Amino acid sequence: MTQHRRRLTAWLLAAVVLAVVLTLYKADSTAVTEHAAAPGATASAPPPATDPPPSSAPPPTSSAPPSPTASSAASEPSPTAPTPACTSPGTCGFPDERSTGPRIELERHDTGNMSVKENGTVIKGWDIRGSLDIYANDVTVIDSKITSTNWWGINLRPGYSGLKVLHTTITAVPGKGPDNGGVNYAVSNMGGSSIEVGWCDISVFGNALSMGQGDLHDNYVHDIVAFRNQGGEWQHTDAVISGGGNKGRLTIRRNTLLNPTAVDRGATAAVGLFADTGVVSSVVVDGNWLAGGAYALYGGGPGATGIQVTNNVFSTQYHPAAGAYGAATAWNAGGAGNVWKGNRMSDGRPVEPPPAS
């Protein structure tokens, strides 16, 4: 009997011990589960570390959205990021055959070399086989095409003003011109005031746009054809040429100006600002695509003032440096009002102003 009681007492003690152990285990397990569910509880947060974690440790993650400041900073381009490359004029927003020339159907006119002598004449929708010699004020040629075998396509004579040539194709027949088969000027301004040439498709002529003052914008000058003059010398070729001595402003903006001719056949420039008849002044060359020539740009030379060359793309399509010898020359860095800014190569490299020549 006594032995039986002792066994019962032992079993009761063992049961009590087991109950206590199970209670303590459950309490400890519950505490661990609750801590894992609330990692941000301040009561159990560890003190901040004084040393940074090792570099191999993964960065902390967070589901919180980025702050507005961080988001806007990420969306802004780095100020040191290179400018993207341009592959061709048209794909980079410069004029080409799709954005220039007539916008309407044309009617053929075999005018030959025609003189215009009535002020305010408007020529629209004409497909002209010949050239226009302007002896009148405020003449407009628009939505037309000129195929010339003369020295020029359109020539404004001295003493007249107000010429506008818009949305027109001006070309010539190689080998049929009077200068040993060559032709010289698509549009020539011999007048005493500015003219406007815009959205025109111009080709073949050796010095395509020739003037000291005018507003030349959104034009596509291409496929210039070299030729020997009557003296047997190669004629200089330029997409735009100015001889200096001008009284007004010459603005050259948003044009594609290509001179693919070889240097040994007279190639000079895409834009040639020369002091042939006087000092070059008051010229804006802004936002153009320039390619070809000995140099793509001649900047006016010594004494030139008020020359602004800004935001142009110097293309590598004919030469690695835009022109055969470089992007630009004849730049008067110390001239009053001369500005060189934002110019780059078509591959994105900045173009620094050339040294004084």
Side-chain angles (χ1 to χ4, degrees), residues 157-200:
R157 289 289 178 170
Y160 299 95
S161 63
L163 174 65
K164 293 184 178 182
V165 185
L166 310 172
H167 297 286
T168 293
T169 294
I170 309 171
T171 189
V173 182
K176 298 294 185 181
D179 194 351
N180 201 29
V183 289
N184 289 355
Y185 312 112
V187 182
S188 172
N189 181 11
M190 299 175 68
S193 66
S194 181
I195 70 173
E196 180 183 2
V197 183
W199 304 285
C200 290

Side-chain angles (χ1 to χ4, degrees), residues 86-89 256-258 288-292 296 312-323 326-327 344-347 349 351:
C86 270
T87 56
S88 67
T256 296
L257 304 173
L258 310 180
N288 303 281
W289 177 282
L290 309 176
N312 298 284
V313 174
F314 289 82
S315 170
T316 61
Q317 66 192 92
Y318 302 129
H319 307 287
R344 63 183 177 90
M345 298 296 293
S346 56
D347 60 13
R349 292 174 291 146
V351 178

Side-chain angles (χ1 to χ4, degrees), residues 96-104 106 123 125-132 141-148 152-154 165-172 186-187 197-205 209 218-223:
D96 63 8
E97 68 278 1
R98 296 169 295 180
S99 59
T100 56
R103 303 162 295 178
I104 61 176
L106 305 181
I123 295 174
W126 286 24
D127 182 356
I128 296 172
R129 306 306 166 96
S131 63
L132 300 177
V141 182
I142 186 169
D143 287 314
S144 295
K145 179 179 181 180
I146 295 172
T147 304
S148 175
W152 56 79
I154 302 175
V165 185
L166 310 172
H167 297 286
T168 293
T169 294
I170 309 171
T171 189
V187 182
V197 183
W199 304 285
C200 290
D201 183 326
I202 299 168
S203 61
V204 178
F205 292 91
L209 296 171
D218 302 288
N219 299 293
Y220 175 45
V221 181
H222 60 101
D223 295 309

Side-chain angles (χ1 to χ4, degrees), residues 22-321:
L22 290 173
T23 301
L24 292 174
Y25 177 81
K26 183 177 181 181
D28 183 66
S29 176
T30 303
V32 171
T33 304
E34 288 176 352
H35 177 72
T42 57
S44 60
T50 57
D51 295 323
S55 59
S56 59
T61 59
S62 172
S63 59
S67 66
T69 301
S71 176
S72 60
S75 64
E76 294 178 358
S78 168
T80 59
T83 304
C86 270
T87 56
S88 67
T91 58
C92 295
F94 292 89
D96 63 8
E97 68 278 1
R98 296 169 295 180
S99 59
T100 56
R103 303 162 295 178
I104 61 176
E105 298 252 341
L106 305 181
E107 178 183 344
R108 179 160 174 165
H109 289 258
D110 292 311
T111 64
N113 303 324
M114 184 175 83
S115 295
V116 178
K117 298 184 177 181
E118 183 177 346
N119 291 340
T121 298
V122 175
I123 295 174
K124 182 176 182 178
W126 286 24
D127 182 356
I128 296 172
R129 306 306 166 96
S131 63
L132 300 177
D133 210 1
I134 311 298
Y135 294 87
N137 297 316
D138 303 320
V139 173
T140 298
V141 182
I142 186 169
D143 287 314
S144 295
K145 179 179 181 180
I146 295 172
T147 304
S148 175
T149 56
N150 199 359
W151 286 85
W152 56 79
I154 302 175
N155 182 36
L156 180 65
R157 289 289 178 170
Y160 299 95
S161 63
L163 174 65
K164 293 184 178 182
V165 185
L166 310 172
H167 297 286
T168 293
T169 294
I170 309 171
T171 189
V173 182
K176 298 294 185 181
D179 194 351
N180 201 29
V183 289
N184 289 355
Y185 312 112
V187 182
S188 172
N189 181 11
M190 299 175 68
S193 66
S194 181
I195 70 173
E196 180 183 2
V197 183
W199 304 285
C200 290
D201 183 326
I202 299 168
S203 61
V204 178
F205 292 91
N207 291 288
L209 296 171
S210 174
M211 62 197 70
Q213 51 197 332
D215 181 9
L216 310 179
H217 64 87
D218 302 288
N219 299 293
Y220 175 45
V221 181
H222 60 101
D223 295 309
I224 290 173
V225 176
F227 65 94
R228 295 182 188 271
N229 63 17
Q230 292 178 348
E233 300 173 339
W234 287 107
Q235 178 73 14
H236 287 284
T237 61
D238 304 86
V240 175
I241 185 170
S242 175
N246 53 297
K247 303 300 181 183
R249 178 179 291 275
L250 175 60
T251 300
I252 307 166
R253 181 172 280 133
R254 298 188 306 274
N255 303 280
T256 296
L257 304 173
L258 310 180
N259 186 350
T261 57
V263 173
D264 61 359
R265 295 193 173 195
T268 308
V271 174
L273 308 178
F274 304 112
D276 294 336
T277 57
V279 174
V280 179
S281 63
S282 299
V283 181
V284 173
V285 184
D286 177 66
N288 303 281
W289 177 282
L290 309 176
Y295 290 89
L297 171 72
Y298 281 74
T305 59
I307 314 299
Q308 301 176 31
V309 181
T310 55
N311 306 314
N312 298 284
V313 174
F314 289 82
S315 170
T316 61
Q317 66 192 92
Y318 302 129
H319 307 287

Side-chain angles (χ1 to χ4, degrees), residues 297 309 314 327-333 338-343 350-356:
L297 171 72
V309 181
F314 289 82
T329 190
W331 175 250
N332 181 19
N338 290 351
V339 177
W340 184 284
K341 183 179 179 182
N343 302 295
V351 178
E352 300 299 329

